[in-house]
Amino acid sequence: MDEKNKDLETQAKEPASGASPEKLPESQSYTRSEPNGDAAVHNPETASTKDIPVEAVHSAEGVTPEGEPFATATKEEAEASSTHAFFDEAASEPARSATQASGNNGTVPPVPPTRAGGGNLSGNNGGGGEPPKKDGKKKTIWGAFLAGILGVLIGALIVLGFSWGALHDDNNNDATSTTSNTGTTKKVTVENTTGTTQALEKVQDAVVSVLNYQAGTSIATGDTTEDEASSGSGVVYKKNNGKAYVVTNNHVVEGANKLEVTFSSGKKAEAKLVGTDKWNDLAVLEISDKYVTKVAEFGNSDAVKVGEIAIAIGSPLGTEFAGSVTQGIVSGVNRTVPVDTNGDGTEDWEAEVIQTDAAINPGNSGGALVNIEGQVIGINSMKISTENVEGIGFAIPSNTVVPIIDQLEKNGEVERPSLGVTLRDVDTIPEVQQQQFLKLPSGVDYGAMVQEVVAGSAADKAGLKKYDVIVEMNGKKVTNSMTLRQILYANDVKIGDKMEVKYYREGKKETTTVTLTAASSTNQ
């Protein structure tokens, strides 16, 4: 007798509660089908009752050890439990829910601890003495096998579908393959061309880094040196007769002893300062065109719409990140931002700018703000930089830039009309002095007070004097010195134009006409 039958015999010697002492042949053992449905859920011994000999579970279901039926058992159930047909039926028919009625009275007999699950207890179709049939298990195994084959086929079809889509997508992928001992490995290169990449191809190489070198003193030797003091960006906008011209910000080149331009290729060229305009924060540099490969094209900033794509190109934080590209949208147009042009802590000019959320960082100043066509619509100039503000940068509109750089390239400066006066804002003067000294009428708490008149200037010739308060010019209200400059420096105002000026003197409102002359200093 082998070890397995020895174990079965040992188990057979220990009758279960309510079991008959009679023994069956050792060969009559069975392997139960796996529980399913509620039987598997509710039976705690599913994993420990496989390969149990028939005699170990041959108890009279629904019958007490003394041979009396349980109170809940029907006559048919009691008769069925005394034969092996009961086990045959339980093994061959599917499990029923614990709440499903059994027999004629809808009751369910108690399940012995050794049972793997409940069958249909109302049937009695088995052959007496025969071990339970295994057809159910065979069908289950065969079904599982077919389900596995079907799952493999479906998975293969899905993988093939993804592979086909990857090899035939709209981006015209190029694929090459290499074969190894383990199979074929595919390397896919994606040709991802977008409007942004096409725009960059037109203009990116025209954006350069601008290095500002200033005089210093060597600590070791005490000799005068030229050290890099700051850096920014610039845009090559013209190439002619062996020369090229770069536009950048005035604050990028301010105070420089020497200027140098670095191209996207890494080549360098010394730059000459042609001219600057502090009011619009612009400057023009001249360089050799030896390394110039691209020249930027200006777009029409008046046609820019809020929400359209904006691409910023420059050298944030220095040449290490030269040619960096950030993308956002145009957040606003015709913005006016007050600026301090002379560093005295007082805002003395309002710049008209384009607002964008494309990232602009130190070093981006002087770089290009580009539209989706690759045209320069602005020169990046400044940003709001506080802890609670993110993504608010500004660029000087191209339609402001072009006439300024044309004048700088031609004359080295921007010729603007001038009154020949220095001014002070009335709202900075105490109210008592406004009324007692300037004698301004009630309700007039604005305007630009004349602090000084340059001899022989347009203002001097028009009869303006110290302490006159200008409140209107060219038909436009003057609230302070900033608005006066904006009126005076407007694009439609030229040297030689006549302009009507209204002002208060000793409490009386008067009018004069000024013939504008060219500015020879920072005076208005």
Side-chain angles (χ1 to χ4, degrees):
M1 181 182 299
D2 57 21
E3 293 298 325
K4 179 176 180 180
N5 289 333
K6 285 182 180 180
D7 290 340
L8 296 178
E9 183 179 10
T10 302
Q11 295 177 23
K13 292 178 181 179
E14 299 177 1
S17 176
S20 172
E22 63 176 308
K23 295 184 180 180
L24 297 178
E26 292 179 352
S27 61
Q28 293 188 11
S29 64
Y30 74 101
T31 302
R32 295 171 294 102
S33 60
E34 290 294 326
N36 52 47
D38 289 346
V41 174
H42 295 293
N43 181 18
E45 299 177 3
T46 302
S48 60
T49 56
K50 294 183 177 181
D51 300 325
I52 299 175
V54 173
E55 58 184 331
V57 294
H58 188 180
S59 62
E61 290 260 346
V63 181
T64 64
E66 292 77 19
E68 295 295 330
F70 287 150
T72 58
T74 65
K75 179 180 179 181
E76 290 80 6
E77 290 167 348
E79 291 175 354
S81 64
S82 63
T83 69
H84 291 295
F86 177 82
F87 295 101
D88 182 65
E89 180 72 11
S92 62
E93 292 197 17
R96 296 175 62 187
S97 170
T99 59
Q100 185 175 356
S102 175
N104 296 326
N105 58 4
T107 58
V108 180
V111 179
T114 56
R115 290 290 297 271
N120 187 342
L121 303 183
S122 62
N124 188 18
N125 300 323
E130 291 293 327
K133 297 178 180 180
K134 301 180 183 180
D135 293 345
K137 184 174 182 182
K138 291 180 179 178
K139 292 179 181 179
T140 302
I141 294 174
W142 179 245
F145 177 77
L146 290 178
I149 293 296
L150 182 60
V152 171
L153 291 175
I154 292 173
L157 289 175
I158 291 173
V159 171
L160 288 174
F162 277 115
S163 300
W164 180 267
L167 292 174
H168 297 83
D169 61 10
D170 293 336
N171 289 328
N172 297 323
N173 298 340
D174 295 329
T176 59
S177 62
T178 57
T179 303
S180 64
N181 294 332
T182 59
T184 300
T185 301
K186 294 185 177 179
K187 298 179 180 179
V188 179
T189 302
V190 179
E191 293 292 340
N192 189 8
T193 300
T194 66
T196 300
T197 59
Q198 291 175 341
L200 291 175
E201 288 177 3
K202 296 178 182 179
V203 71
Q204 190 168 21
D205 288 342
V207 180
V208 298
S209 299
V210 178
L211 306 182
N212 181 326
Y213 292 89
Q214 296 184 9
T217 303
S218 172
I219 298 176
T221 63
D223 296 336
T224 301
T225 60
E226 286 184 341
D227 302 316
E228 183 181 328
S230 62
S231 66
S233 304
V235 181
V236 180
Y237 69 90
K238 185 177 181 180
K239 180 179 178 182
N240 187 30
N241 295 327
K243 298 179 181 179
Y245 294 89
V246 177
V247 58
T248 185
N249 288 141
N250 174 67
H251 74 262
V252 170
V253 301
E254 197 168 21
N257 280 29
K258 185 179 80 170
L259 294 167
E260 188 176 74
V261 165
T262 303
F263 296 89
S264 58
S265 62
K267 303 291 185 179
K268 295 183 179 182
E270 188 171 343
K272 172 186 174 183
L273 180 61
V274 175
T276 64
D277 176 27
K278 73 171 186 176
W279 299 110
N280 286 295
D281 194 23
L282 293 170
V284 170
L285 309 179
E286 181 186 292
I287 60 173
S288 167
D289 69 355
K290 181 178 180 180
Y291 303 119
V292 175
T293 58
K294 287 285 179 69
V295 174
E297 174 188 356
F298 286 105
N300 180 9
S301 58
D302 290 341
V304 170
K305 296 179 180 179
V306 173
E308 73 171 82
I309 290 177
I311 307 165
I313 312 173
S315 305
L317 307 181
T319 55
E320 182 179 355
F321 299 103
S324 291
V325 178
T326 56
Q327 179 175 304
I329 62 170
V330 173
S331 305
V333 295
N334 300 322
R335 299 291 199 209
T336 55
V337 179
V339 293
D340 175 16
T341 60
N342 55 13
D344 62 358
T346 302
E347 295 168 347
D348 46 21
W349 181 248
E350 280 190 344
E352 294 186 1
V353 292
I354 297 171
Q355 180 186 336
T356 180
D357 68 346
I360 296 176
N361 295 292
N364 274 116
S365 293
L369 187 68
V370 180
N371 62 18
I372 198 64
E373 297 297 327
Q375 299 171 327
V376 178
I377 57 173
I379 297 299
N380 299 322
S381 180
M382 53 189 146
K383 65 178 291 185
I384 295 178
S385 182
T386 61
E387 290 184 358
N388 59 343
V389 174
E390 182 177 347
I392 301 183
F394 303 103
I396 306 165
S398 57
N399 287 8
T400 299
V401 172
V402 171
I404 298 298
I405 62 177
D406 284 346
Q407 289 191 59
L408 292 177
E409 185 185 332
K410 181 179 178 180
N411 304 318
E413 62 180 0
V414 177
E415 291 186 345
R416 288 192 171 91
S418 172
L419 289 177
V421 296
T422 57
L423 303 170
R424 178 177 177 180
D425 296 342
V426 169
D427 60 10
T428 66
I429 300 172
E431 185 177 353
V432 173
Q433 291 185 359
Q434 290 180 23
Q435 296 175 355
Q436 295 181 0
F437 187 76
L438 298 177
K439 298 180 181 180
L440 293 176
S442 177
V444 179
D445 56 356
Y446 61 89
M449 186 196 76
V450 177
Q451 280 188 314
E452 185 178 340
V453 178
V454 177
S457 66
D460 185 31
K461 292 176 182 178
L464 290 174
K465 295 182 179 180
K466 189 176 183 179
Y467 303 128
D468 287 345
V469 176
I470 300 173
V471 294
E472 186 179 315
M473 191 163 67
N474 205 26
K476 299 177 182 178
K477 184 178 179 180
V478 175
T479 57
N480 51 31
S481 58
M482 186 185 299
T483 58
L484 185 146
R485 291 189 195 97
Q486 289 176 326
I487 296 169
L488 194 63
Y489 297 163
N491 290 335
D492 59 346
V493 177
K494 299 179 177 59
I495 297 170
D497 287 352
K498 295 184 182 297
M499 189 173 290
E500 185 178 78
V501 177
K502 294 183 179 181
Y503 62 96
Y504 282 96
R505 178 184 291 171
E506 296 292 330
K508 295 181 180 181
K509 192 172 185 178
E510 300 186 16
T511 303
T512 186
T513 300
V514 177
T515 301
L516 301 177
T517 59
S520 57
S521 67
T522 57
N523 296 333
Q524 280 73 50

